[in-house]
Amino acid sequence: MTDGMTGGTCAQVNRENSIYNRRVRVSDQILKGLIYLAAAVAIAILVGIMGYVFVRGLPEISWEFLSTVQSSINGTFGILGNIINTLYIIVITLLVAVPVGVGSAIYLNEYAKPGKLVRSIEFTTEILSGIPSIIFGLFGMVMFGTVLKLGYSVLTGSFTLTLMVLPLITRNTQEALRTVPDSYRSGALGIGATKWYMIRTILLPSAAPGILTGIILAVGRIVGESAALLFTAGSGFQLPRGLFSKLFESSGTLTIQLYLSMQRAKYDQAFGIAVVLLLIVLCINLLARYVTRKFGTKK
């Protein structure tokens, strides 16, 4: 009987001391309210900016706006040339940056022995990611434009952007590779697989969501860059005469054209371009989330 009473008393004490019956402190409620307020302010700012841009820019969006180029003779304005220039720069930049960035991450994570060299490379990579883009533009103009004599061109802009997005791709790939359990490596090597075969068939597929997310975020930075491209790619808006001839021509992207429109006080045109850029960035972020979730569910 005594044991039963003791057990009942202990159960009652446990219920009273459980997390559900604890007294809510005023400070916790205040902090919770501040967190909700901060989230509401952030969302309001985002909605306000996007709403204002869309209200000002949507009336400018038309088929002619998207499918023609500027013409002072015909008095028309379009951004088709700028859209094509942006696509050129995205493709060329990724063709150079992705193999180098992913390869560097594989070397640092799987081949290099931990030590001062690896720490120095990682530290240098972090410094590169913090350098202002205008400095990259100045270096790219001198190195690729003047020394290599590429001038204002797609190649000059793409090589410059490669230096800018390399840290992003490398760091994301490194973090993605570190999330792969060591048991995968040990198991593959234990059954006689070579290290490269293990990396190619096990590590890279397992780390694919993180790698692809880094690449997509790099595309977002390429699309939104303007300062570096103003010094390297120029502001040309003509349609390409040939597939490869465009690589050596001055090629202004959407962000460059937006800057020029604002400089000329063509605010309606600038807001129209801003709407297109916002839609592109939104699609890139949605694609990143879709890729991450799809590969996550496969696991």
Side-chain angles (χ1 to χ4, degrees):
M1 185 71 177
T2 305
D3 293 339
M5 293 177 63
T6 304
T9 304
C10 292
Q12 184 178 1
V13 171
N14 289 334
R15 285 197 299 270
E16 290 177 354
N17 293 331
S18 67
I19 191 172
Y20 299 104
N21 293 326
R22 286 183 182 176
R23 185 170 60 87
V24 178
R25 293 182 295 183
V26 177
S27 59
D28 291 340
Q29 292 295 323
I30 294 175
L31 288 175
K32 185 178 180 181
L34 291 175
I35 290 172
Y36 278 108
L37 178 62
V41 170
I43 294 173
I45 292 174
L46 176 63
V47 172
I49 292 174
M50 295 189 66
Y52 183 76
V53 171
F54 275 91
V55 168
R56 289 286 305 271
L58 277 178
E60 294 297 314
I61 303 298
S62 64
W63 178 247
E64 182 182 359
F65 182 79
L66 298 173
S67 61
T68 60
V69 296
Q70 302 179 50
S71 175
S72 55
I73 298 176
N74 298 327
T76 59
F77 178 83
I79 59 172
L80 179 60
N82 303 112
I83 293 174
I84 293 175
N85 294 338
T86 304
L87 294 176
Y88 262 95
I89 287 180
I90 290 173
V91 172
I92 300 302
T93 302
L94 292 183
L95 285 177
V96 180
V98 171
V100 176
V102 174
S104 301
I106 292 174
Y107 169 76
L108 292 173
N109 206 69
E110 303 299 328
Y111 287 98
K113 295 181 179 179
K116 291 183 178 180
L117 177 62
V118 173
R119 290 196 297 269
S120 300
I121 295 174
E122 291 178 347
F123 179 69
T124 304
T125 303
E126 293 174 358
I127 291 178
L128 279 176
S129 62
I131 294 178
S133 58
I134 196 74
I135 297 179
F136 279 105
L138 182 62
F139 173 81
M141 180 184 67
V142 174
M143 181 65 189
F144 304 119
T146 304
V147 176
L148 298 183
K149 298 181 179 180
L150 294 175
Y152 289 100
S153 63
V154 169
L155 288 179
T156 305
S158 297
F159 291 157
T160 303
L161 290 180
T162 297
L163 300 178
M164 295 179 62
V165 301
L166 263 178
L168 179 61
I169 296 175
T170 302
R171 295 299 292 174
N172 273 275
T173 303
Q174 275 188 278
E175 295 302 323
L177 290 173
R178 286 170 183 167
T179 60
V180 180
D182 288 335
S183 58
Y184 288 16
R185 298 173 175 84
S186 302
L189 296 176
I191 62 175
T194 62
K195 193 162 189 175
W196 172 239
Y197 184 83
M198 177 264 294
I199 292 172
R200 180 168 53 86
T201 60
I202 297 177
L203 294 190
L204 289 180
S206 300
I211 298 173
L212 290 175
T213 300
I215 293 171
I216 294 171
L217 293 177
V219 174
R221 181 167 186 183
I222 295 169
V223 171
E225 187 54 49
S226 59
L229 292 176
L230 191 63
F231 286 171
T232 55
S235 58
F237 53 83
Q238 295 83 7
L239 293 175
R241 293 188 296 269
L243 182 62
F244 296 105
S245 62
K246 188 64 177 175
L247 300 178
F248 303 95
E249 297 175 359
S250 175
S251 304
T253 60
L254 289 168
T255 52
I256 298 299
Q257 187 57 52
L258 189 153
Y259 166 77
L260 295 176
S261 296
M262 288 294 293
Q263 193 178 45
R264 297 164 185 164
K266 302 291 181 69
Y267 301 119
D268 292 336
Q269 295 176 1
F271 277 104
I273 299 171
V275 169
V276 176
L277 283 171
L278 280 178
L279 291 175
I280 292 174
V281 172
L282 180 61
C283 291
I284 290 171
N285 282 276
L286 290 176
L287 179 61
R289 293 187 63 181
Y290 171 76
V291 168
T292 303
R293 287 183 178 181
K294 186 173 181 180
F295 279 88
T297 54
K298 283 185 178 180
K299 285 185 178 181

